[in-house]
Every structure is written in structure tokens, then in C-alpha cells.
Amino acid sequence: MKIICNGEQCDVAADTLARVLLELGYAGAVVATAVNGAFVPISLRQNTPLKFGDAVEVLAPMQGG
Amino acid sequence: MKFYGHEPCSRLLLGTAQYPSPAILSDAIKLSGTEIVTVSLRRESGATRAGQGFWSIVRDLDVKVLPNTAGCHSVKEAISTAEMAREVFQTAWIKLEVIGDDDTLQPDMFATVEAARILISEGFEVFPYMTEDLVVAEKLLQAGCQVLMPWGAPIGSGRGLNNVYGLRSLRAHFPDVPLIVDAGIGLPSHAAAAMELGYDAVLLNTAVAKAVDPVQMAGAFAKAVAAGREAFLAGPMEQRDMAAPSTPLIGKAFL
């Protein structure tokens, strides 16, 4: 299934946010997620289904001013 | 001085961006004595996981983090970013930035006030980045902000305090509100000037990170902030237009 992750097209097999994160290499990472612009907390990742074309954002701590 | 119940000893807050290396970032923060650093959230690659390394460096510093919403241009973006930051950084603190103009990075105060109101209703403790506008300040306080962060000058410009009169007015209007000059500070003397006006703290990033020797500059800022604060407490003399001799005229020889 094609989704957009951090602005780039991705082809993933998984169909929930939690499984997609594992598939894309984020296992154990400190990240926050949003789907189609809305924040999805950790507690809801397992029950958040993804569908074709969904835009996923995966953000991590970064330098800031 | 308390920021939402937290009482730091240092009145210098530092950003964590643009340092030449992680080691220099760590050394600069340690030498500055700062207890609060700003951080942000950006896209993480599952392959490189760069953010994980940065987060481990910041955690080792044992300082309080103030996540920002830098780069957000709308209320919706700022709120989603704040919600994500709260989960990642495990803090209710958020430095609220909603940018209204790309050339000056001037905050959009209409959107900032609206976002502040929503975030506070969601339990956030908001540090709003703002212009030095008195009416905006009042609206932000009415929204529930307990700290205000007026700009000195545009972010990264290093111009110092562009509107000393406005900053002094803000200080005078809100004597009991913690006020932090955020952005535009380029030199330790600018930071000292803000503190001499009675500001509670200063927040800066580029002036340290882009110095030839960021660690040395961090130390210089720490001293300037402490000196400015001490000068404010000591009560500076009144300025006057004409000279007034400091050496007594009485007893001067007639030659």
C-alpha cells in the first residue's frame, strides 16, 4: 500500500500506524506521530488504521532555538 | 522569578541549534550554567535516526527542555506540533511560535493568542514568542499565559534590542509577570541591556552557536546576564542631557 511518510512516497505492507513504524525502522525510537495533520498519541497507534494515500509524519527531538 | 512554578537559578536560556558539533553544544551549555534549553521536533528518518542521538545528548545535560513550535505558520500546525512535543519531551511547557512574516520571522500575534488560548485549555504551559505590543501582552495574559517572551529583534539577526522604549513600557506595565527577551540578541552587551531594563531572563541561540568560539561566548553571556541583573537590582542612575561634574567644585584652588 502506498502512503506518504515524512513527505516521501512509501510502499508498506502493514496497515496500522504502529506496524508501519516498525516496518520503516522506527522500532524503539522516541518519536511523535501525526496522520493527515492530526496528532496520534502512542496509545492510539495500534488502533490507527492507515489507508492508501495517508500522510504520516514521524517527528523526533531536534536542535531548536 | 518563576516559570510556571519552576524557579531556575540561571537567567540565561539557550537554544540548541547551529552549533559546530554536539560536543561544543554540550560544553557551551555546561559553561553557561543555563538550566533551560530550547529544542524542536523535526522529521526523523527510520534509516539514520539522527534525532535519537541528539535527544540522548540533551538528556545527558540534565537540563529542563522548552520545546518550540518553530516554523509553524498556523494555529492548527502549532497545536499539533505542541501536542507531539508534549508526548516526546514529557513536558507541558511549550515555546509558542506562530510566524506571520517570512522575512522578519515576526510572529502572527492574532494566531498566537488564539493558539495560546487553545493550548492552555489543553493543559499546556505556554511561553509565547511575541512582539513587544502591550495590548497583545494583555490578551496573552488573559488567555492564561504566565510568562511572556517579547522579541529583541528578528530571530537570528543579532541586532539587539530594536525597541528599548517598547520593552521598557512592557516591563513597567507588567511588573509581576516573568518577562524573557527572546530572539535578536547578538552580543553579551545586548543581554546585559535587557537585564538592566528589569527583564527576568534572556533566551538566545545564534549569538552563541555562531560565535567563533561558542563555549567562550556562552561564558561571556552568562557573565553579562548576571551583571545586567545585578545592575538592575542596584538601581541605575538617572540619565541626564548635560554634564554634571563628579569631582567637587568646592575647595578648588583659584589659580
Side-chain angles (χ1 to χ4, degrees):
Chain A
M1 173 177 67
K2 282 193 167 49
I3 60 165
I4 297 162
C5 183
N6 285 347
E8 289 183 12
Q9 290 248 350
C10 289
D11 209 345
V12 292
D15 60 357
T16 66
L17 179 57
R19 286 199 214 107
V20 163
L21 289 177
L22 289 178
E23 190 177 332
L24 295 179
Y26 296 102
V30 177
V31 290
T33 50
V35 175
N36 299 327
F39 168 56
V40 179
I42 293 171
S43 58
L44 297 181
R45 282 181 196 162
Q46 269 192 324
N47 297 323
T48 299
L50 292 181
K51 59 182 188 311
F52 176 85
D54 275 348
V56 176
E57 293 287 339
V58 185
L59 307 187
M62 209 59 76
Q63 294 87 342
Chain B
M1 173 191 62
K2 280 191 179 172
F3 303 144
Y4 293 97
H6 176 77
E7 197 168 4
C9 296
S10 169
R11 292 172 180 271
L12 173 61
L13 287 71
L14 281 180
T16 55
Q18 307 183 85
Y19 289 80
S21 72
I24 292 175
L25 162 68
S26 295
D27 289 348
I29 286 170
K30 282 179 199 156
L31 186 70
S32 72
T34 191
E35 295 157 57
I36 301 169
V37 301
T38 53
V39 290
S40 72
L41 281 178
R42 287 292 179 266
R43 285 172 166 172
E44 178 79 323
S45 156
T48 61
R49 296 169 60 126
Q52 308 306 303
F54 168 71
W55 184 220
S56 137
I57 290 164
V58 172
R59 271 185 305 204
D60 288 347
L61 288 169
D62 196 25
V63 290
K64 209 160 162 54
V65 293
L66 173 58
N68 67 28
T69 63
C72 290
H73 285 71
S74 69
V75 173
K76 179 177 174 288
E77 245 186 324
I79 287 171
S80 293
T81 304
E83 288 170 339
M84 295 169 90
R86 178 161 62 179
E87 183 179 81
V88 163
F89 296 110
Q90 298 285 300
T91 176
W93 282 13
I94 191 77
K95 176 184 165 184
L96 177 62
E97 284 182 54
V98 188
I99 298 303
D101 177 72
D102 283 333
D103 290 328
T104 58
L105 297 180
Q106 179 167 332
D108 174 342
M109 293 321 306
F110 299 96
T112 301
V113 171
E114 190 185 340
R117 192 173 292 124
I118 295 167
L119 288 169
I120 288 162
S121 75
E122 291 183 10
F124 283 91
E125 295 173 336
V126 176
F127 293 64
Y129 171 58
M130 60 180 286
T131 55
E132 70 280 10
D133 186 303
L134 293 178
V135 181
V136 160
E138 187 61 55
K139 302 274 182 205
L140 287 165
L141 294 172
Q142 284 168 5
C145 293
Q146 294 178 24
V147 177
L148 299 177
M149 301 211 297
W151 65 350
I155 295 168
S157 69
R159 296 175 59 86
L161 309 182
N162 265 356
N163 182 1
V164 171
Y165 170 79
L167 290 169
R168 188 182 286 126
S169 297
L170 196 64
R171 180 69 287 177
H173 273 73
F174 305 104
D176 302 321
V177 176
L179 296 179
I180 303 170
V181 169
D182 173 17
I185 288 183
L187 288 168
S189 54
H190 300 154
M195 298 306 293
E196 286 162 4
L197 289 176
Y199 274 72
D200 294 282
V202 296
L203 197 174
L204 55 105
N205 188 156
T206 313
V208 167
K210 289 293 188 186
V212 174
D213 184 340
V215 179
Q216 190 171 16
M217 190 60 87
F221 267 103
K223 288 175 193 155
V225 167
R229 176 65 185 171
E230 208 172 314
F232 169 72
L233 293 175
M237 64 169 278
E238 294 285 326
Q239 276 191 8
R240 47 183 288 152
D241 290 331
M242 303 303 287
S246 48
T247 304
L249 289 176
I250 297 171
K252 180 181 174 300
F254 185 74
L255 303 170

